[in-house]
């Protein structure tokens, strides 16, 4: 079953789109890995994760590892659905399919 094509302004911001793309391919991604992949500062990434979390698209988990607390991010089911719908809408737009 394909996702309903729907543009999502929360996901569309470039860094949030990239975050959702990375998370859609994995169960969970560690904060530092996201930061390095995006090439952004901790504060920029935190702000983007918070926007996704506030929308209900992301869940953040903190856990101790090697004597330090690490932060992990994962898409929620709502986040996966919103991301898939947004990608479907971008594909529709790129294909030049008119709005019905």
């Amino acid at each position: 079953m394909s996702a309903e094509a729907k543009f999502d302004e929360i996901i569309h911001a470039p860094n949030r789109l990239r975050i959702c793309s990375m998370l859609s391919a994995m169960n969970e991604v560690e904060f530092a890995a996201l930061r390095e992949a995006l090439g952004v500062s901790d504060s920029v990434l935190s702000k983007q994760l918070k926007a996704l979390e506030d929308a209900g698209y992301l869940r953040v988990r903190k856990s101790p590892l090697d004597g330090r607390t690490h932060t992990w991010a994962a898409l929620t089911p709502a986040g996966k659905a919103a991301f898939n719908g947004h990608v479907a809408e971008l594909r529709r737009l790129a294909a030049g399919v008119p709005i019905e």
Side-chain angles (χ1 to χ4, degrees), residues 70-81:
H70 289 255
T71 301
W72 300 84
L75 287 178
T76 63
K80 288 177 186 178

Side-chain angles (χ1 to χ4, degrees), residues 10 16 46-60 76 78:
I10 294 168
R16 291 193 294 262
S46 292
K47 182 178 178 180
Q48 300 307 314
L49 294 179
K50 180 76 170 129
L52 291 166
E53 187 177 27
D54 287 349
Y57 293 168
L58 183 87
R59 126 182 103 65
V60 174
T76 63

Side-chain angles (χ1 to χ4, degrees), residues 3-4 6 8 11 57 75-88:
E4 176 187 346
K6 181 178 179 195
D8 190 302
I11 291 174
Y57 293 168
L75 287 178
T76 63
K80 288 177 186 178
F83 175 70
N84 290 335
H86 186 72
V87 169

Side-chain angles (χ1 to χ4, degrees), residues 13 20-21 24 26 32-33 37 40 42 48-49 51-52 60 62 68 72 77 79 82 84 90 93-94 100:
C20 289
S21 176
S24 72
M26 301 178 195
V40 297
D42 287 358
Q48 300 307 314
L49 294 179
L52 291 166
V60 174
K62 295 183 183 274
R68 294 182 49 205
W72 300 84
N84 290 335
L90 292 176
L93 292 169
E100 296 176 3

